[in-house]
């Protein structure tokens, strides 16, 4: 697993629950590291062990921890760059959804060796979609549920999102747009304003 993914998990736990909880998670997981480094690569079982241990320490289901991680990745000020990358996907939430197929390639422009889940958006009906998420990381779809929830809020859209579970070796997420102009979305400018 790319170190950027592990450092995202690390930042999420520290920012949401504190350094003491993170240190406890690392110790109990047997990860064998004091801190993850963004530009290193780690064996996939290490990431699984850390996420599973975090779920046990927090007394939450793994799926909930992963969805919270996805929400954190878009909404927390410490990870604003990911939100910016995602917002370049479109002016509206629907345009953003259609851009998800290209997200792994866009991410590789910034980080050539990162391996994000393969995403495929299927148009079901007016305002209804299914996002298919293929990844060797079990639960990547739950991370995307959190990301999509936060992005819907970011665009000011009221959307119903549901993780439909694994189907044919991929995780599927149902997306139903209930109201496209539900609230005022968060400000977004192309230029970074200091």
């Amino acid at each position: 697993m790319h170190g950027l993914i592990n450092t995202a998990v690390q930042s999420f736990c520290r920012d949401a629950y504190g350094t003491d909880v993170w240190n406890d998670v690392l110790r109990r997981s047997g990860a064998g590291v004091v801190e993850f480094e963004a530009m290193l690569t780690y064996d996939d079982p290490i990431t699984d062990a850390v996420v599973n241990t975090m779920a046990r320490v927090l007394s939450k289901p793994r799926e909930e921890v992963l969805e919270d991680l996805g929400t954190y990745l878009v909404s927390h000020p410490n990870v604003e760059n990911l939100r910016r990358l995602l917002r370049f996907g479109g002016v509206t939430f629907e345009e953003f959804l259609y851009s998800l197929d290209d997200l792994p390639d866009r991410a590789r422009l910034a980080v050539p060796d990162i391996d994000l889940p393969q995403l495929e958006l299927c148009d079901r009906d007016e305002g209804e979609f299914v996002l298919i998420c293929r990844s060797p990381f079990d639960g990547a779809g739950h991370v995307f549920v959190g990301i999509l929830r936060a992005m819907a809020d970011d665009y000011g859209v009221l959307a119903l999102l549901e993780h439909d579970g694994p189907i044919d070796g991929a995780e599927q997420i149902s997306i139903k747009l209930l109201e496209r102009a539900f609230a005022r979305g968060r400000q977004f400018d192309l230029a970074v304003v200091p």
Side-chain angles (χ1 to χ4, degrees), residues 112-147:
D113 58 341
I114 196 160
D115 190 23
L116 293 184
Q118 293 301 310
L119 303 170
E120 179 185 348
L121 186 73
C122 302
D123 213 334
R124 289 291 187 235
D125 201 356
E126 176 62 30
E128 293 186 23
F129 307 88
V130 171
L131 181 65
I132 300 168
C133 177
R134 288 184 177 80
S135 174
F137 180 72
D138 182 35
H142 290 285
V143 175
F144 273 94
V145 169
I147 287 172

Side-chain angles (χ1 to χ4, degrees), residues 2 35-36 49-50 88 96 102 126 130 145 158-159 161 174 186-187 193:
H2 197 284
E35 182 169 281
F36 287 112
V50 167
F88 276 110
F96 159 73
D102 300 326
E126 176 62 30
V130 171
V145 169
L158 180 61
L161 299 149
S174 295
R186 280 177 61 193
Q187 181 64 34
V193 180

Side-chain angles (χ1 to χ4, degrees), residues 93 96-97 100 131 144-152 161 175:
F93 185 67
F96 159 73
L97 289 175
L100 288 174
L131 181 65
F144 273 94
V145 169
I147 287 172
L148 292 172
R149 278 203 177 102
M151 290 303 292
L161 299 149
I175 305 162

Side-chain angles (χ1 to χ4, degrees), residues 83 87 91-94 96 148-159 177-187:
R83 173 187 175 249
R87 282 301 296 258
V91 175
T92 67
F93 185 67
E94 283 183 82
F96 159 73
L148 292 172
R149 278 203 177 102
M151 290 303 292
D153 288 346
D154 206 78
Y155 280 98
V157 170
L158 180 61
L177 304 184
L178 301 176
E179 195 169 332
R180 288 172 174 83
F182 179 70
R184 172 174 264 170
R186 280 177 61 193
Q187 181 64 34

Side-chain angles (χ1 to χ4, degrees), residues 2-12 36-39 42:
H2 197 284
L4 279 175
I5 294 169
N6 289 315
T7 56
V9 172
Q10 175 176 280
S11 296
F12 162 64
F36 287 112
E37 297 292 332
M39 299 317 290
Y42 299 88

